[in-house]
Amino acid sequence: MIAREILAIREQFGLDHIDLKCLPAIYHHYPDKIAPSVDRAIVKAKAEGITRIFVGYADCGTGGMLDRVCEKHGVERIAGPHCFSFYVGNEAFSSQWDDDMTSFFMTDFLARHFEAFMVKPLGLDRHPELRDMYFGNYTKMIYMAQTDDPKLSAKAERAAAFLGLTYERRLTGYGDLVPALTSAAAPD
């Protein structure tokens, strides 16, 4: 879900030595798959001779299981409970959480892939009556934009309308992802 952003940061900061390996974004619908898949990816990378590994996942609903995998292998991951938090900045997200706790968050990835990542997997295309069951407790959608792209903003706004939510856009940029990657990529 953050591959495009990592590649953009890599290019912007000349971090060409960063090699990106991705797991399926759909695992965010099944967070129990994240930690074991990261575990296997780390084992494979180490077997290929990669000695410096940084996990580009926040906790993402693993309930601490991802932290245990990282600890087991002696690797770090980006700090935070989820990408929404590190895009805003973990400290800033935490301080405004009380105001935003009834908000559905959207990122550039989700705006770009709303139909394929949200509508179809949740069955909203076949069973629109599920919308209120899934999203009825939200009061608004906050689009946390990593880029200033009018087309993505329009997609996010249409997604909010589809979900029956008021729309708010906040340009966050890459937040804590930048210092996390630049620090992880710094020479020893």
Side-chain angles (χ1 to χ4, degrees):
M1 289 183 77
I2 65 169
R4 185 182 293 242
E5 291 75 13
I6 289 173
L7 293 174
I9 293 167
R10 183 176 78 174
E11 183 176 323
Q12 180 181 355
F13 290 92
L15 303 173
D16 298 334
H17 59 288
I18 290 178
D19 194 21
L20 178 64
K21 305 288 184 196
C22 298
L23 297 178
I26 200 71
Y27 284 3
H28 284 83
H29 285 299
Y30 310 96
D32 59 313
K33 293 184 178 192
I34 294 172
S37 296
V38 168
D39 186 56
R40 287 189 297 275
I42 291 171
V43 168
K44 183 177 183 215
K46 286 183 173 186
E48 293 171 356
I50 297 171
T51 57
R52 195 144 178 219
I53 298 169
F54 181 76
V55 177
Y57 268 97
D59 182 70
C60 299
T62 71
M65 293 301 296
L66 184 57
D67 286 333
R68 289 193 266 295
V69 167
C70 291
E71 185 178 317
K72 169 182 154 185
H73 292 288
V75 302
E76 292 181 48
R77 70 164 176 86
I78 187 162
H82 40 68
C83 64
F84 312 116
S85 181
F86 69 67
Y87 279 142
V88 172
N90 287 310
E91 191 174 313
F93 186 89
S94 180
S95 71
Q96 66 195 38
W97 173 245
D98 287 345
D99 296 334
D100 293 337
M101 69 185 310
T102 60
S103 300
F104 176 74
F105 300 112
M106 178 164 284
T107 61
D108 284 3
F109 174 88
L110 290 174
R112 193 176 286 111
H113 302 288
F114 182 71
E115 181 79 19
F117 195 78
M118 297 297 296
V119 174
K120 289 184 180 181
L122 295 176
L124 297 173
D125 54 333
R126 298 175 312 280
H127 302 284
E129 69 278 7
L130 293 174
R131 181 193 80 170
D132 292 339
M133 291 174 69
Y134 291 140
F135 298 94
N137 291 321
Y138 292 109
T139 57
K140 65 181 171 182
M141 177 210 287
I142 299 174
Y143 171 37
M144 298 174 167
Q146 285 74 71
T147 57
D148 196 9
D149 183 335
K151 289 181 181 176
L152 286 180
S153 294
K155 285 183 174 195
E157 193 164 5
R158 284 192 300 275
F162 176 83
L163 298 176
L165 301 173
T166 60
Y167 173 76
E168 181 181 327
R169 181 181 177 275
R170 297 179 189 168
L171 182 59
T172 63
Y174 302 126
D176 288 347
L177 186 57
V178 172
L181 284 180
T182 54
S183 175
D188 288 331

